[in-house]
């Protein structure tokens, strides 16, 4: 059941976890750790990373025997038709099964779908990820939870049983434990398979980080279940932000009330200490012990068999004092660990104060990229200035490790952003309406386009990918973008992965019955080749990973931008034509860049580009929606 983990090894691990737990209990909630320097908190490897985000339930079903059942769903069983069954992986996304038609519309039943994605599916497709060229994997939550997204954890110290080979056996083991006593913790079959995944990823020189959701839990979380049952007498009475306990004197009424994340009662929030500087001692110590389990599984002081870091959900909604102590604990376990916060706005001071390595770079990358390359709402010079302002807010080492994403499980997919691009009437102009729910959520805007991208729109997607792979920071691809997937905001951005070995139904349904094109769904080999080629380009050129960034020319009249990435041993020039027309431009070269250049890559591939040198400048003719990568002529 627990491959690779003998009873003796498990006993040793439990002993270390118990020691770590006791150490955690002895720490004072008011202790504060000095913020680390960028070199201390941001590992060097993160500057070389090419990230790939995996949403586990929708990546690949590698083991149908562990598929979720109706009993494992988040919604009460009585509210889900008895005919429920896992959804066929290749079905038209908007087509409803018989059991879904008995519910209140597409967006009621879709959250109860399960496709059976699991860890075995990831392990089986590590060769695919290797061939793409990515070097670091970020997993959305993998811990035990009822929802498809797993942000409603029932524990932090076990992998979800339905991600592993023995769900029933795992649940039986978990039931034997005292969750707050690490000496009672078992290594379940799902835990063991996760450790095997980490081992196999490391063997391919891929780093692994996982999602830490330490602001809230699900109602199935062991502490909340006990709290709901025993109220003020619960041993966990101070773990959650309780507004009122049930009054035993009023048996006909339940006054129990608590704070849910953003008002969502299925996500009860942990309580802060009285000073508001950290979490209460109970959850703080439990999180500390769980962190140790995943970072040093056998407790031998060698973290090479554990995860390489964490992505921290809604980080700003947890007190900074907690993060200072937790980040220090993480680096005690592994000085080379990477911790990245989910912060959507400017985060430079926050990173320093809380001790994170980096942040998901929505503010400094995704927002301006949407405004310039997708919407064409700002000119190249304004784009360059926004990049400079937001890049320079971070120390150089942190800049290179920021996660440069354009889409994620929380936003429309890149391809669909392009399909629905607009350059006027922003409700949130500072964000270029990036992920503005009133626009991108079909439940609020039924006119939002759900079709596949056209050929010109795919060219624009390629241009975004080119910039992503040649800009300062670590690029992150949301799984399936490279395969050609499209989709509106959550939940439509969480379609099952499109694979080349599967035959998919044509997508021609619409959630509100609107007319739409009949779009074939298939793996896009040409687009995959573009991502593969651009990732290879980044990995081959140190200038693209660690070099200085400088704008060479912002040609506002033609919608063209030329920039340089320079390193003592390497120089790369990139020109983007974000307009839809062919343009010629003259690019003056500074003394440090003045030399002959040759074309290294074009995006799209094999596009005809005219390149000449005119004294102190380059003369370029570039077709619309095209990028060209150049290097000094050898």
């Amino acid at each position: 059941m627990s491959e690779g983990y003998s009873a003796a090894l498990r006993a040793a691990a439990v002993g270390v976890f118990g020691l770590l737990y006791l150490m955690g209990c002895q720490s004072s909630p008011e202790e504060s750790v000095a913020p680390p320097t960028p070199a201390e908190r941001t590992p060097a490897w993160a500057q070389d990373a090419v990230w790939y985000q995996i949403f586990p339930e929708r990546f690949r079903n590698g083991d149908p025997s562990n598929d979720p059942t109706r009993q494992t769903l988040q919604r009460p069983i009585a509210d889900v038709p008895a005919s429920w069954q896992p959804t066929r992986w290749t079905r038209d996304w908007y087509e409803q099964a018989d059991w879904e038609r008995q519910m209140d519309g597409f967006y009621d039943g879709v959250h109860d779908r399960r496709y059976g994605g699991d860890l075995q599916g990831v392990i089986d497709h590590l060769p695919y990820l290797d061939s793409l060229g990515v070097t670091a994997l970020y997993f959305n939550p993998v811990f035990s939870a009822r929802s498809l997204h797993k942000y409603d954890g029932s524990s932090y110290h076990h992998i979800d049983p339905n991600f592993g080979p023995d769900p029933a056996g795992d649940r039986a083991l978990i039931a034997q434990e005292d969750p707050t006593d690490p000496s009672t913790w078992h290594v379940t079959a799902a835990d063991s398979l996760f450790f095997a995944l980490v081992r196999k990823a490391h063997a391919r020189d891929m780093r692994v980080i996982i999602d830490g959701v330490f602001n809230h839990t699900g109602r199935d979380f062991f502490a909340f279940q006990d709290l709901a049952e025993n109220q003020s007498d619960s041993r966990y009475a101070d773990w959650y932000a309780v507004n009122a306990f049930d009054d035993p004197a009023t048996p006909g009424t339940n006054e129990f009330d608590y704070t849910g994340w953003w008002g969502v009662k299925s996500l009860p929030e942990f309580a802060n200490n009285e000073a508001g500087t950290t979490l209460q001692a109970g959850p703080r110590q439990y999180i500390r012990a769980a962190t140790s389990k995943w970072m040093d599984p056998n407790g031998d002081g060698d973290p090479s068999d554990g995860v390489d870091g964490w992505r921290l959900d809604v980080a700003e909604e947890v007190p900074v004092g907690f993060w200072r102590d937790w980040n220090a604990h993480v680096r005690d376990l592994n000085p080379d660990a990477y911790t990245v916060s989910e912060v959507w706005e400017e985060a430079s001071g926050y990173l320093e104060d809380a001790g994170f390595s980096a942040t998901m770079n929505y503010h400094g990358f995704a927002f301006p990229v949407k405004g310039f390359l997708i919407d064409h709402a700002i000119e190249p010079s304004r784009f360059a200035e926004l990049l400079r302002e937001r890049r320079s807010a971070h120390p150089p080492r942190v800049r290179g490790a920021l996660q440069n994403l354009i889409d994620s499980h929380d936003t429309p997919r890149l391809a669909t952003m392009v399909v629905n691009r607009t350059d006027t009437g922003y409700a949130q102009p500072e964000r270029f309406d990036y992920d503005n729910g009133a626009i991108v959520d079909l439940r609020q805007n039924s006119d939002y386009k759900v079709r596949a991208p056209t050929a010109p729109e795919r060219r624009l997607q390629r241009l975004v990918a080119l910039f992503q792979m040649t800009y300062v920071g670590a690029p992150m691809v949301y799984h399936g973008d490279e395969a050609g997937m499209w989709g509106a905001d959550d939940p439509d951005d969480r379609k099952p992965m499109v694979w080349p070995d599967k035959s998919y139904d044509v997508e021609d349904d619409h959630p509100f019955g609107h007319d739409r094109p009949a779009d074939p769904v298939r793996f896009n080999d040409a687009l995959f080749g573009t991502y593969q080629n651009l990732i290879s380009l980044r990995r081959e050129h140190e200038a693209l990973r660690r070099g200085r960034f400088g704008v060479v020319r912002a040609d506002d009249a033609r919608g063209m931008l030329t920039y340089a990435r320079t390193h003592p041993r390497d120089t790369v020039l990139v020109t983007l034509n974000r307009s839809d027309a062919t343009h010629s431009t003259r690019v003056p070269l500074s003394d440090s860049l003045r030399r002959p250049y040759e074309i290294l890559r074009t995006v799209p591939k094999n596009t005809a580009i005219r390149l000449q040198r005119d004294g102190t400048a380059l003369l370029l003719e570039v077709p619309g929606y095209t990028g060209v990568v150049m290097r000094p002529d050898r």
Side-chain angles (χ1 to χ4, degrees):
M1 180 184 64
S2 299
E3 178 185 355
Y5 283 79
S6 66
L9 182 59
R10 187 180 304 128
V14 164
V16 173
F17 292 152
L19 176 62
L20 287 168
Y21 175 72
L22 291 173
M23 291 169 62
C25 289
Q26 293 167 2
S27 64
S28 165
E30 304 306 323
E31 286 180 1
S32 181
V33 177
T37 66
E40 292 171 330
R41 71 179 192 260
T42 307
W45 64 262
Q47 300 177 74
D48 297 317
V50 178
W51 291 97
Y52 190 85
Q53 179 187 350
I54 294 177
F55 194 85
E57 215 279 325
R58 301 292 162 82
F59 186 67
R60 181 78 184 209
N61 187 344
D63 181 4
S65 72
N66 65 14
D67 285 358
T69 64
R70 183 166 168 260
Q71 286 69 33
T72 64
L73 298 179
Q74 182 180 21
R75 191 195 299 253
I77 294 176
D79 296 338
V80 181
S83 59
W84 181 95
Q85 58 184 349
T87 302
R88 178 167 55 88
W89 195 274
T90 57
R91 199 179 73 194
D92 177 351
W93 171 253
Y94 290 114
E95 180 188 352
Q96 294 179 278
D98 290 341
W99 65 266
E100 291 178 274
R101 295 191 187 98
Q102 300 175 47
M103 305 182 79
D104 189 18
F106 175 81
Y107 287 107
D108 183 38
V110 68
H111 297 285
D112 294 305
R113 286 184 182 178
R114 298 294 183 273
Y115 288 83
D118 52 31
L119 298 182
Q120 190 61 52
V122 180
I123 290 172
D124 292 344
H125 288 78
L126 286 175
Y128 167 84
L129 300 175
D130 213 355
S131 72
L132 180 59
V134 297
T135 65
L137 308 179
Y138 152 47
F139 286 86
N140 286 100
V142 292
F143 300 141
S144 181
R146 285 187 173 269
S147 71
L148 67 98
H149 52 72
K150 309 298 179 192
Y151 284 95
D152 57 334
S154 59
S155 84
Y156 297 151
H157 68 281
H158 285 303
I159 302 299
D160 190 273
N162 289 101
F163 284 164
D166 185 15
D170 285 358
R171 290 188 171 95
L173 279 177
I174 293 169
Q176 300 171 13
E177 301 173 345
D178 175 353
T180 61
D181 181 359
S183 69
T184 70
W185 293 357
H186 296 280
V187 176
T188 66
D191 295 348
S192 182
L193 190 63
F194 178 75
F195 292 136
L197 188 162
V198 171
R199 186 170 63 250
K200 291 175 184 291
H202 285 172
R204 293 177 178 272
D205 293 326
M206 293 181 189
R207 307 276 182 161
V208 176
I209 69 169
I210 54 178
D211 225 319
V213 189
F214 301 149
N215 165 262
H216 54 266
T217 71
R219 285 180 292 205
D220 277 351
F221 196 84
F222 64 85
F224 189 82
Q225 282 191 319
D226 190 275
L227 173 66
E229 179 180 352
N230 297 306
Q231 296 291 301
S232 59
D233 293 330
S234 170
R235 61 190 285 205
Y236 306 106
D238 66 347
W239 278 43
Y240 287 90
V242 176
N243 302 318
F245 288 109
D246 186 28
D247 184 355
T250 57
T253 305
N254 188 349
E255 293 87 0
F256 180 47
D257 185 44
Y258 54 90
T259 300
W261 178 75
W262 283 35
V264 179
K265 291 297 187 178
S266 61
L267 300 174
E269 287 192 352
F270 281 135
N272 298 336
N273 66 351
E274 188 173 346
T277 57
T278 186
L279 296 179
Q280 289 282 19
R284 190 172 70 250
Q285 292 154 4
Y286 169 71
I287 292 168
R288 185 183 182 94
T291 299
S292 299
K293 173 175 178 174
W294 302 114
M295 296 196 67
D296 186 7
N298 61 8
D300 65 353
D302 177 3
S304 63
D305 52 351
V307 298
D308 302 285
W310 299 76
R311 178 267 193 186
L312 291 313
D313 186 60
V314 296
E316 288 181 299
E317 299 180 39
V318 178
V320 167
F322 169 83
W323 290 127
R324 284 197 201 119
D325 294 342
W326 180 83
N327 272 305
H329 175 56
V330 164
R331 293 187 181 93
D332 283 342
L333 294 166
N334 182 357
D336 214 27
Y338 174 81
T339 59
V340 57
S341 64
E342 183 205 12
V343 178
W344 287 54
E345 301 299 336
E346 204 284 321
S348 57
Y350 178 78
L351 296 182
E352 182 176 357
D353 199 18
F356 290 110
S357 305
T359 191
M360 302 176 76
N361 201 15
Y362 288 104
H363 181 259
F365 184 82
F367 297 173
V369 166
K370 183 175 186 292
F372 174 62
L373 282 176
I374 296 177
D375 290 352
H376 300 189
I378 55 175
E379 301 306 325
S381 59
R382 178 57 182 151
F383 177 58
E385 181 60 19
L386 279 176
L387 293 176
R388 187 200 62 77
E389 290 172 359
R390 298 178 183 190
R391 182 176 65 249
S392 61
H394 299 278
R397 189 175 179 108
V398 176
R399 290 175 207 163
L402 297 170
Q403 274 187 339
N404 283 347
L405 75 166
I406 186 63
D407 57 352
S408 74
H409 66 291
D410 283 329
T411 76
R413 284 194 174 267
L414 168 57
T416 296
M417 291 187 202
V418 174
V419 167
N420 289 274
R421 64 191 186 278
T422 180
D423 62 356
T424 58
Y426 288 128
Q428 299 174 333
E430 70 285 353
R431 289 175 55 158
F432 306 100
D433 277 354
Y434 181 92
D435 196 44
N436 182 337
I439 296 170
V440 302
D441 185 341
L442 282 171
R443 289 160 291 191
Q444 301 181 62
N445 178 12
S446 62
D447 293 329
Y448 195 74
K449 300 181 185 71
V450 300
R451 63 168 174 82
T454 62
E457 288 162 349
R458 284 294 190 202
R459 288 177 71 105
L460 199 48
Q461 178 180 352
R462 286 178 166 88
L463 204 60
V464 171
L466 170 60
F467 183 70
Q468 187 178 32
M469 297 301 163
T470 56
Y471 184 58
V472 179
M476 183 160 75
V477 177
Y478 180 34
H479 86 246
D481 281 354
E482 81 287 357
M485 293 181 66
W486 66 88
D489 200 16
D490 171 25
D492 300 318
D493 54 2
R494 302 174 184 182
K495 298 177 185 178
M497 174 74 175
V498 174
W499 291 104
D501 64 343
K502 290 185 177 292
S503 179
Y504 294 78
D505 296 351
V506 170
E507 189 176 294
D508 57 7
D509 279 10
H510 189 283
F512 302 113
H514 296 182
D515 290 336
R516 57 158 294 176
D519 292 314
V521 177
R522 63 174 69 96
F523 187 86
N524 190 322
D525 290 286
L527 189 62
F528 176 85
T530 296
Y531 276 85
Q532 187 182 51
N533 189 277
L534 291 174
I535 291 170
S536 174
L537 176 74
R538 184 177 186 86
R539 294 182 62 178
E540 290 169 3
H541 286 272
E542 195 165 5
L544 296 180
R545 305 190 310 276
R546 295 166 176 266
R548 294 174 61 86
F549 178 93
V551 172
V552 181
R553 175 144 197 240
D555 187 340
D556 290 352
R558 297 169 179 82
M560 299 178 74
L561 178 70
T562 299
Y563 53 92
R565 299 297 309 276
T566 56
H567 187 271
R569 295 182 294 274
D570 194 17
T571 297
V572 174
L573 290 185
V574 182
T575 294
L576 309 176
N577 180 0
R578 69 97 192 259
S579 77
D580 59 1
T582 298
H583 287 300
S584 297
T585 187
R586 186 175 186 273
V587 181
L589 299 176
S590 64
D591 291 344
S592 62
L593 295 175
R594 201 167 295 164
R595 67 198 78 168
Y597 285 85
E598 63 179 354
I599 294 174
L600 186 59
R601 298 281 200 286
T602 63
V603 178
K605 187 178 180 181
N606 298 327
T607 303
I609 305 288
R610 291 182 60 188
L611 170 62
Q612 295 177 298
R613 185 177 177 186
D614 175 20
T616 61
L618 294 180
L619 301 179
L620 284 165
E621 184 178 82
V622 183
Y625 297 162
T626 296
V628 54
V629 182
M630 298 158 282
R631 69 178 178 190
D633 192 335
R634 297 180 180 178

